[in-house]
């Protein structure tokens, strides 16, 4: 071809794109951007962003037992947990303070993987913003608590699997409780 | 409709003439034209930014600005407010006077060249008999302003950008002027009005020499206003922002304004000299002029949406090794066209230009070895 024909071919590509952007549907090469605040793409189930604490039915009935595993595993150390104590000074199986600094959180999801009590899961929350640099994005226990129904809504597959597993575990535990513990054998 | 703006001006002047002496009416005539240009220039610039962003966005399958106002029509206003309220930072070691002077001196010539553009039948602010010369002389002073900006900023990127800009603009000035010579030869005048009048029957772009001259002029024009793909002077991937690295706020906006007004005037001049200016059927003459100009501006934006930036040696090579000889050949062809007639005129000119094109491209072909030969390596 002649000198400069590559330029002309390249320009035809952009012109084609421009014309298509007006007259074509996204699948035929048209515009594929969606106008975000007004129109939203459907959320993907596997999307995960920022952890939340899960509770069953009542907010007091949270699954977290303040074992501190997630806080230890958290790579940027954004989780801060203080165990609750009752009036007699006996440690309770729930946190008194459970803070996550979302400005520090890097959405790795390791807390979710580390938690042995199915208490912390990754949310679909991504529209968080604050007016101050410190404080407004430091989420406390009440901000983090979300119900199991919410979990079912955002991640139905995972939630169903976890619920059945928990029920099976519960049933096993009940079965173990019903059987009286075997007395230590006296033979040996 | 055709004489709408001219009519408004005449009506205004005749109204003023009832109570003013003649000399004052003349002063007002100048003032009205100057005001019209001073409003039209920045307004064009504002909306060229929007058009550019929209068109480039569409070429990249995006929507472009659409938040401020309907279709983003108020986006330029928002940009203007932002620019005006931004902090104006002058570098500590900068030459304060030159730093301030550069954005001013770059806008003035960009506005001045509007004076010789024939916007429509009788719609020319000053029909100078050296209109083209005036245009080229005034618009080339932009080079000095750019160098002032680069030097006054006391920044190595700014200076690099300014030096690139000077090298580029001085180089492209030569084929640009030479590409205008055929049109001046045929029209027999340097006045833009006369050149447009000479194209009443046939636009110059529809003759062999005119077509080639148009392409050369247009390419040089794109380089002259520092637009992509010849935007080495403000190559953001290499030298931050080139000569306006150290400018912010309204001073930066003035550079931008000058660049876009130059885009408009270069396109308008190309439309005037080669595309028949305001000639066109049915519609008002100023509409035809603006239509042609905006089509050329669209092509510039199209270039920007398509082409990657040239290397500096490619840029210089294109100007000196291809456009300049081609423009010289074109001058000869225009002379041949003027002296001969009939079929031999058309075919002779076309053949001559095609041969010149082939020879130049063959001579410009970079040396690419068929097979790489290794002297010291084993295999």
């Amino acid at each position: 071809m002649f000198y400069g024909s590559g330029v002309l071919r390249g320009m035809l590509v952009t012109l084609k794109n421009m014309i298509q952007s007006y007259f074509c549907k996204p699948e035929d090469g048209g515009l594929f951007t969606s106008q975000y605040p007004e129109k939203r793409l459907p959320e993907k189930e596997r999307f995960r962003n920022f952890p939340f604490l899960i509770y069953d039915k009542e907010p007091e009935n949270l699954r977290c037992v303040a074992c501190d595993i997630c806080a230890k595993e958290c790579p940027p150390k954004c989780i801060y947990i203080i165990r609750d104590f009752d009036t007699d000074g006996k440690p309770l199986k729930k946190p008194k303070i459970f803070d996550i600094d979302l400005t520090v959180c890097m959405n790795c999801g390791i807390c979710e993987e580390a938690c042995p009590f199915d208490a912390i899961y990754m949310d679909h929350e991504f529209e968080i913003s604050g007016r101050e640099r410190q404080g407004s994005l430091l989420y406390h226990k009440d901000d983090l608590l979300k119900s199991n129904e919410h979990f079912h809504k955002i991640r139905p597959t995972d939630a169903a699997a976890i619920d059945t597993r928990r029920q099976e575990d519960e049933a096993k535990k009940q079965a173990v409780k019903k059987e009286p513990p075997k007395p230590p054998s006296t033979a040996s | 409709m055709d004489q709408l703006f001219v009519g408004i001006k005449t009506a205004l002047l005749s109204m003023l003439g009832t109570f003013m002496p003649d000399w004052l009416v003349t002063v007002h005539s100048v003032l009205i034209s100057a005001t019209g240009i001073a409003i039209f220039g920045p307004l064009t610039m504002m909306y060229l930014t929007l058009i550019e962003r929209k068109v480039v966005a569409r070429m990249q399958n995006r929507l472009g600005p659409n938040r401020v106002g309907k279709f983003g029509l108020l986006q330029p206003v928002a940009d203007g407010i932002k620019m005006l309220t931004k902090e104006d930072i002058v570098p500590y070691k900068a030459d304060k006077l030159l730093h301030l002077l550069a954005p001013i001196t770059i806008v003035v010539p960009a506005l001045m060249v509007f004076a010789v553009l024939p916007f429509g039948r009788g719609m020319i602010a000053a029909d100078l008999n050296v209109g083209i010369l005036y245009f080229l002389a005034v618009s080339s002073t932009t080079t000095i302003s750019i160098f002032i900006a680069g030097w006054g900023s006391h920044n190595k990127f700014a200076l690099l950008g300014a030096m690139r800009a000077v090298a580029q603009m001085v180089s492209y000035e030569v084929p640009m002027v030479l590409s205008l010579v055929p049109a001046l030869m045929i029209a027999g005048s340097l006045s833009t009005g006369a050149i447009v009048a000479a194209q009443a029957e046939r636009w110059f772009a529809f003759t062999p020499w005119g077509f080639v001259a148009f392409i050369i002029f247009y390419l040089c024009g794109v380089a002259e206003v520092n637009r992509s793909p010849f935007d080495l002077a403000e190559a953001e991937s290499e030298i931050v922002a080139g000569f306006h690295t150290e400018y912010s706020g309204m001073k930066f906006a003035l550079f931008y304004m000058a660049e876009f007004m130059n885009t408009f005037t270069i396109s308008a001049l190309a439309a005037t000299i080669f595309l028949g200016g305001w000639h066109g059927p049915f519609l008002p003459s100023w509409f035809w002029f603006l239509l042609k100009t905006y089509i050329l501006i669209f092509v510039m934006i199209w270039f920007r949406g398509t082409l990657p930036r040239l290397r500096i040696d490619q840029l210089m090579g294109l100007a000196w090794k291809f456009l300049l000889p081609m423009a010289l050949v074109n001058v000869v062809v225009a002379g041949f066209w003027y002296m001969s007639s009939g079929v031999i005129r058309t075919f002779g000119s076309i053949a001559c230009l095609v041969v010149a094109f082939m020879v130049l491209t063959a001579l410009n072909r970079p040396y690419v070895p068929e097979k790489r030969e290794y002297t010291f390596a084993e295999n």
Side-chain angles (χ1 to χ4, degrees), chain A residues 8 21 36 40 88 95 98 117 120 138 164:
Chain A
L8 292 181
S21 80
Y36 158 61
R40 287 152 181 277
D88 304 336
F98 194 108
F117 298 98
I120 189 164
L138 177 65
T164 45

Side-chain angles (χ1 to χ4, degrees), chain B residues 311-326:
Chain B
R311 227 166 44 217
I312 190 87
D313 60 319
Q314 293 169 332
L315 181 94
M316 290 293 162
L318 181 68
W320 290 109
K321 296 197 290 196
F322 184 74
L323 294 182
L324 178 63
M326 201 67 200

Side-chain angles (χ1 to χ4, degrees), chain B residues 159-287:
Chain B
L159 191 59
L160 265 176
M163 276 159 46
R164 282 183 181 191
V166 171
Q168 174 182 340
M169 289 168 100
V170 168
S171 308
Y172 275 86
E173 202 94 327
V174 181
M176 185 173 174
V177 174
L178 279 173
S179 71
L180 288 180
V181 168
L184 307 181
M185 280 160 61
I186 304 296
S189 171
L190 275 164
S191 145
T192 43
I195 288 173
V196 173
Q199 298 178 71
E201 285 166 22
R202 173 166 27 188
W203 299 357
F204 285 163
F206 291 152
T207 58
W209 55 268
F211 180 73
V212 172
F214 172 60
I215 303 281
I216 295 174
F217 178 81
Y218 191 70
L219 286 181
C220 293
V222 175
E224 194 75 1
V225 298
N226 277 331
R227 283 189 61 89
S228 184
F230 305 109
D231 59 344
L232 282 122
E234 41 201 88
E236 65 271 9
S237 51
E238 303 157 24
I239 47 172
V240 192
F243 58 90
H244 55 64
T245 304
E246 291 292 357
Y247 285 91
S248 58
M250 204 55 210
K251 286 179 183 168
F252 171 73
L254 287 179
F255 277 114
Y256 227 65
M257 184 188 276
E259 187 183 319
F260 275 97
M261 286 197 298
N262 281 333
T263 308
F264 182 85
T265 46
I266 284 283
S267 302
L269 195 71
T272 305
I273 295 176
F274 297 107
L275 298 184
W278 41 260
H279 284 300
F282 312 123
L283 294 163
S285 54
W286 47 268
F287 184 85

